[in-house]
Structure formats: C-alpha cells, structure tokens
Amino acid sequence: PALTRENNCLNAAKACNLNDTCKKYRSAYISPCTSRVSTAEVCNKRKCHKALRQFFDKVPPKHSYAMLFCSCPAGDQAACSERRRQTIVPVCSYEDKEKPNCLALQASCKTNYICRSRLADFLTNCQPEPRSLSGCLKESYADCLLAYSGLIGTVMTPNYLRTSHISVSPYCDCSNSGNSKEECDRFSELFTDNACLRNAIQAFGNGTDVGVWQPMPPV
Amino acid sequence: QWSTPGRGCLLREIHLNVTDLGLGYRTKEELIFRYCSGPCSDAETNYDKIINNLSNNRKLDKEKPSRTCCRPIAFDDDLSFLDDNLQYHTLKRHSARKCACV
C-alpha cells in the first residue's frame, strides 16, 4: 500500500472547519482579507488585520496554533509549507507595495498602542538565551507563541519566509539603514534567527514542549 | 395527544469533503453540511388543504403550487477553505442553521 505522508497543515484546516467557533472566525478573516475593494487595493488591510486579531483572540490555541505552527517535513514546499504561509492571507495582511526598513516599521508600530504593547510582549517573551536548554530567557514556549501570534494583525505582522528551515520576519528589511545597520540587523534577527522562537514553534509542531530549565553550571 | 406542528422537520448534519458538494472546487478540505429534512403534513394550513383538494379536482389546470416544505429559515456561518492552487474561497448560505415548515 502507498504510504501517504501526513500534511499537518491540511489536517489543522480540516479540524478548524469541523469546529463551529474556528470555522466562523476563520471565514470572518478570510472574507475581508480576500475581498478586492478597488482596482488599486487587493483588500481592506485594516479590516483584514482586525479580523485576524479577532481570530487569534477568540479561537482556542488548540485550533489557531495548529494552523499557524503546523510542522511540515523538510522539502515539502507546495502542499504543507505553502499552506502554512497562506494561513494569514499574506497577499493582504503581509505584503505591501514597498518593503520598509525594519527600524522605520518598528517606529511606526510604536505610534499605535496595540502594536507597541504586542511588540514589547514579543521582545520580552521570545528573548533568546543560549544558556537555557529551551533557548529562551523566559523558558515558556507558550508565552512566546502567544506573544508571536499577538503580532499578527499589527503593522509588525510576521510570516514564514520561503526558506528550508523555520524563519519568520515582518515585511521589512535592513536596506537603507545608514548608521543604524547593526541595530537594524539585531532587531531583524529577533525574528529571522531567534532560537527561542524557533524552538517554541518546533516544539508545538512536534508536540514536544520541553519547558524545562537546565542552567549551565557556574563557571 | 398535543403536538407541535412541523416537529418532524429537523436539522440534520453530515461530514463531507468540499469536493462532495459538486460546486467545482479542487481542495482536500472538509466541512459539516447541515440540512433540513422531515415531514410537514402536521403543519399544513387550510391553504395547503385547499391546494391539495383543488389539484385532485383538476380545478387548477396544469399548475402545481407547492405545499408546506421543510426548509432552512436561517443559514449557518460562512465557510472558507484553501484550494489546491492556494486560492481561498468563501461559501455563503451553503448550510442550514434552523429549520421550519414553510
């Protein structure tokens, strides 16, 4: 018999549509995120973001995280990883006409109280710590995943990059950083190359949240 | 024996693949489809009895007005799914929420 490889992201979408709450809030964000409002705009981004925030606020993590953090076998690009990338409807919620500088995006986030508090939450709860076995200073994968998912629906909305390993980023880069190139790279790497966040996502996807703290012996 | 008219008309549900709906979508996603079914004979009004009698007496020529039907009076929430080409679709008014003899 042919061995069919499980597509965790597809299974999560199926489970969502069989649950009344998840189904309702899923279509409640997909509708505004896929409705063209004019020839110039693919969607109403403000409405899309608001509905995405509602989805992560109202739907139990069992369903919302299962779709956002589903694990995909390496090399399975089309079926699994692309579906995972499409979870937030990136054409509306993520991509933009121009890719801003990450520090400029951070500054614009700080002018909005929701974005400012959620970014602060993310920087606190997903702060990496190489000496911790979990990779996190605050050794709680659940808090890091909650803080990360809280950014979805703000101007800092992150998404998976098309890379072979797990890497995420808001829609920005560090070109045109001038004197602040190092500061920008440091900020950007908290998304793209953050062991705490990566471990948290992988642990959820594999169902192996370790959550133990093993401090290094004092030197 | 006292009984509620139309109580045989009930909301039922079935677990299906989106492709089973026959709407032309190519996807592996699934849904719960809810529909209304059951007899409505106990909910018939004088209107329905008259229609029935007139049809039997051939006083309505060839017309056949419909009698009480078990139908949705409210629809379920919208359903969204991603198809095999990574396009989202949203179905509206596709599944029943509440039924009645109408």
Side-chain angles (χ1 to χ4, degrees):
Chain A
L3 199 75
T4 48
R5 213 161 34 172
E6 284 290 296
N7 180 337
N8 288 324
C9 298
L10 174 63
N11 289 344
K14 287 182 185 176
C16 177
N17 277 357
L18 300 184
N19 173 281
D20 282 334
T21 305
C22 193
K23 177 189 80 166
K24 175 177 164 181
Y25 288 104
R26 184 186 185 209
S27 74
Y29 79 77
I30 288 173
S31 279
C33 298
T34 56
S35 304
R36 184 172 275 281
V37 286
S38 69
T39 47
E41 306 284 328
V42 291
C43 64
N44 182 328
K45 194 170 195 158
R46 194 181 53 80
K47 282 190 181 169
C48 171
H49 276 174
K50 188 175 180 188
L52 272 167
R53 292 199 304 273
Q54 278 225 314
F55 176 80
F56 287 103
D57 282 349
K58 303 269 169 97
V59 176
K62 179 187 159 199
H63 286 295
S64 58
Y65 288 13
M67 287 203 287
L68 185 61
F69 302 127
C70 45
S71 66
C72 294
D76 179 5
Q77 281 308 307
C80 191
S81 312
E82 262 309 302
R83 177 177 270 280
R84 182 172 62 191
R85 238 178 52 77
Q86 291 297 328
T87 304
I88 62 166
V89 198
V91 68
C92 177
S93 72
Y94 185 68
E95 288 155 26
D96 224 324
K97 283 163 204 133
E98 283 163 32
K99 201 176 235 193
N101 177 274
C102 290
L103 293 179
L105 191 66
Q106 184 189 20
S108 116
C109 171
K110 285 181 173 170
T111 65
N112 174 288
Y113 80 98
I114 298 179
C115 192
R116 186 174 55 222
S117 76
R118 297 201 173 180
L119 180 59
D121 235 27
F122 170 76
L123 298 178
T124 308
N125 290 303
C126 296
Q127 192 179 332
E129 170 51 64
R131 286 172 302 171
S132 153
L133 188 67
S134 66
C136 302
L137 183 67
K138 299 252 296 182
E139 318 141 60
S140 167
Y141 287 160
D143 288 349
C144 175
L145 295 182
L146 182 66
Y148 173 85
S149 63
L151 283 174
I152 294 171
T154 69
V155 295
M156 296 297 301
T157 296
N159 200 14
Y160 294 92
L161 300 173
R162 284 197 177 97
T163 49
S164 54
H165 60 288
I166 290 180
S167 181
V168 297
S169 174
Y171 196 71
C172 66
D173 60 27
C174 286
S175 52
N176 303 313
S177 290
N179 291 338
S180 316
K181 180 81 169 73
E182 272 182 37
E183 189 193 349
C184 185
D185 286 340
R186 266 201 312 275
F187 177 74
S188 168
E189 282 165 11
L190 288 171
F191 290 91
T192 56
D193 189 19
N194 178 335
C196 171
L197 176 60
R198 191 163 50 238
N199 290 348
I201 293 174
Q202 276 167 345
F204 184 90
N206 303 332
T208 56
D209 190 340
V210 287
V212 282
W213 170 249
Q214 296 255 310
M216 294 275 281
V219 187
Chain B
Q1 175 87 38
W2 185 86
S3 73
T4 315
R7 70 173 183 175
C9 166
L10 295 173
L11 185 67
R12 293 154 211 264
E13 63 177 46
I14 178 172
H15 179 178
L16 297 173
N17 297 319
V18 171
T19 48
D20 294 331
L21 303 179
L23 298 176
Y25 298 111
R26 288 167 52 99
T27 176
K28 293 175 189 70
E29 290 208 33
E30 301 175 358
L31 79 158
I32 302 283
F33 174 69
R34 300 193 173 98
Y35 60 100
C36 299
S37 179
C40 280
S41 44
D42 59 344
E44 289 195 334
T45 57
N46 277 330
Y47 170 83
D48 298 294
K49 288 174 191 152
I50 293 166
I51 293 290
N52 194 25
N53 296 338
L54 293 181
S55 299
N56 290 343
N57 299 339
R58 299 169 190 241
K59 300 230 170 165
L60 294 180
D61 288 341
K62 295 192 171 68
E63 293 216 67
K64 290 212 164 176
S66 12
R67 293 164 62 189
T68 307
C69 286
C70 180
R71 293 277 304 163
I73 53 166
F75 288 97
D76 213 343
D77 294 313
D78 298 348
L79 175 90
S80 294
F81 58 89
L82 190 65
D83 74 16
D84 293 348
N85 295 320
L86 300 170
Q87 294 286 317
Y88 277 110
H89 301 278
T90 300
L91 294 181
K92 293 175 189 295
R93 296 165 67 88
H94 66 289
S95 174
R97 163 167 293 165
K98 208 173 167 192
C99 306
C101 292
V102 294

